[in-house]
Amino acid sequence: MATEYAVIAGGCFWCTEAVFKDVIGVESVESGYTGGARPNPTYEQVCSGATGHAEAIRIGFDPAQVSYGDLLDISFATHDPTQLNRQGNDIGTQYRSAIFPANPEQEAEAIAAIARAQEGLSDPVVTTIEPLKEWYAAEGYHQDYWEGAGQRNGYCMAVIPPKLQKLRKSFANRVKSS
């Protein structure tokens, strides 16, 4: 079966990338930018909030091993979908919680995943479903960040391990490592 792609945003892409690289059936995770207006934005431009882009990840996955809905459920479990335009100390529209479906089937799954996520939360889920626009890969130093520079980044050391623990606890049968 051919690789399918999911594009999601849930705060800092270093953090979301680290989570999804550990999921069975995920073949690739690329950090990048989507949802904005400026062509070929740089990290600095996106961080300014002026381009309208979200820090997002594009997940290549084998649908025979992990479904699009499962990926969305993992996303909701490993970030706070009730925070508008932020995740923790990361504030701005570039850190929004968003799903960028590639087709009507993914859009239907996104609507269902938001409803599932809302069931366990008292605050409203603010995750948006946005049209999938042009995808721009982030600069090379952002790719595979957790495996390299992220290990020396205090922010990542504070934020990523709890996300990975939550993934391994809530989705133990879905992770590559334990």
Side-chain angles (χ1 to χ4, degrees), residues 40-142:
N40 300 305
T42 66
Y43 180 65
E44 291 73 22
Q45 290 165 340
V46 171
C47 284
S48 76
T51 69
H53 290 88
E55 283 195 17
I57 56 171
R58 183 170 63 174
I59 305 164
F61 66 99
D62 176 353
Q65 293 187 55
V66 62
S67 73
Y68 181 75
D70 289 339
L71 294 174
L72 297 178
D73 291 345
I74 291 167
S75 174
F76 281 118
T78 55
H79 85 285
D80 185 349
T82 68
Q83 292 190 347
L84 184 62
N85 296 328
R86 73 179 296 168
Q87 282 297 298
N89 292 329
D90 289 333
I91 300 171
T93 58
Q94 67 272 28
Y95 300 115
R96 67 188 178 269
S97 176
I99 303 168
F100 301 89
N103 55 48
E105 293 78 20
Q106 284 191 355
E107 185 171 1
E109 280 288 332
I111 292 166
I114 289 172
R116 286 192 302 273
Q118 186 62 68
E119 288 174 10
L121 300 168
S122 54
D123 292 328
V125 169
V126 296
T127 304
T128 56
I129 299 173
E130 302 180 28
L132 181 60
K133 294 184 177 180
E134 188 75 28
W135 173 261
Y136 300 101
E139 295 82 350
Y141 69 93
H142 293 297

Side-chain angles (χ1 to χ4, degrees), residues 8-23:
I8 57 174
C12 165
F13 52 27
W14 298 337
C15 302
T16 52
E17 178 191 76
V19 166
F20 283 94
K21 282 185 154 293
D22 211 21
V23 175

